[in-house]
Amino acid sequence: MLYHPPPPPLVLPAAEVRDVWAANLADEFAYLGALLPHFPVVHVDTEFPGTVHDSATPRHLRGPREVYALVKRNVDALKPLQIGVALSGAAGRCPVAWQFNLRGFDPRVDPHAPASVALLRAQGMNLAAMREFGADPAAFAAGFFHSGLGLAGRYTWAAFSGAYDFAYLVKVLSGGMPLPETVEEFMALVRALFGPAVLDVKRLARVCGDKGIRGGLDQVAAALGVERAAGRAHCAGSDSLLTCDVLLAMVDRFFRDKNVLAYSGAIVGLV
């Protein structure tokens, strides 16, 4: 039997976030798919127009079923704006991340949280351009599966405080269908779409060191000494890239002698 050595490491450009629109969707998914064999850990972030439903129960008292019911109400009612994807592997982080700008949201008619949309605009999100030039969510879903990302079980997936990230991905990939009724059904669907290796980096932060690391993505990154490689906060491509770098730093410092995949499926709030 002939031995085929693995391909040599890729020489890639400096860290960048590539904006993806309808016009370059197919080309960028093809590029992403070509890199997946080298970088099989997929880090995702989504941006959406805030939340319009809340619960009277204090956050620290909400159980998984109540948390999921709230996620479902909001995700079913709202439209996603951006999906960010960053990749990593044995060679480290791929210095390219993708920011998929989606079409469909119109703040004049669609439900949203005005303060959240104002924040996203202040961070550079151009909603008018997204309405005109953004990728159709159905086209994103088709590109996702065609690129190889839909090969459940082949990749490790990661997000930071990922309940909404995976919920919006499920919504887009299922053609906008309502989310499952129960958290158990939702987690089963997550496993069916993404495989068993699904990590929540916020959950991992809680077991780093003796006391864990608390806070949001930027706070955890600062505690680890990780700087944002490209882009701005609250932009999906940049946040997926930062999530990737944070996870790599955690694995290097705190999980050298532990299997990080032992925490698979532990999405914050849903378990």
Side-chain angles (χ1 to χ4, degrees), residues 15-19 95-99 230-231 236-238 241:
E16 66 168 327
V17 176
R18 299 169 73 99
D19 266 300
V96 179
W98 291 264
Q99 183 163 277
S238 179
L241 198 63

Side-chain angles (χ1 to χ4, degrees), residues 63-72 163 179-191 265 267-271:
R65 286 179 172 80
E66 186 170 359
V67 170
Y68 176 70
L70 192 58
V71 170
K72 173 177 165 58
L179 294 181
E181 289 298 323
T182 69
V183 65
E184 293 83 5
E185 292 171 319
F186 173 74
M187 292 304 297
L189 184 53
V190 167
R191 288 191 293 272
I267 298 177
V268 171
L270 302 186
V271 294

Side-chain angles (χ1 to χ4, degrees), residues 87-164:
L87 305 176
S88 69
R93 186 252 290 152
C94 173
V96 179
W98 291 264
Q99 183 163 277
F100 295 89
N101 298 285
L102 301 180
R103 178 186 301 169
F105 174 71
D106 187 339
R108 297 169 295 186
V109 296
D110 290 321
H112 63 280
S116 296
V117 169
L119 172 64
L120 294 173
R121 280 178 162 146
Q123 293 301 99
M125 186 176 290
N126 188 333
L127 296 176
M130 290 164 67
R131 285 196 300 276
E132 185 172 358
F133 304 111
D136 184 84
F140 172 89
F144 177 96
F145 289 109
H146 185 71
S147 71
L149 281 170
L151 296 173
R154 183 168 294 186
Y155 310 110
T156 297
W157 291 79
F160 190 96
S161 194
Y164 276 96

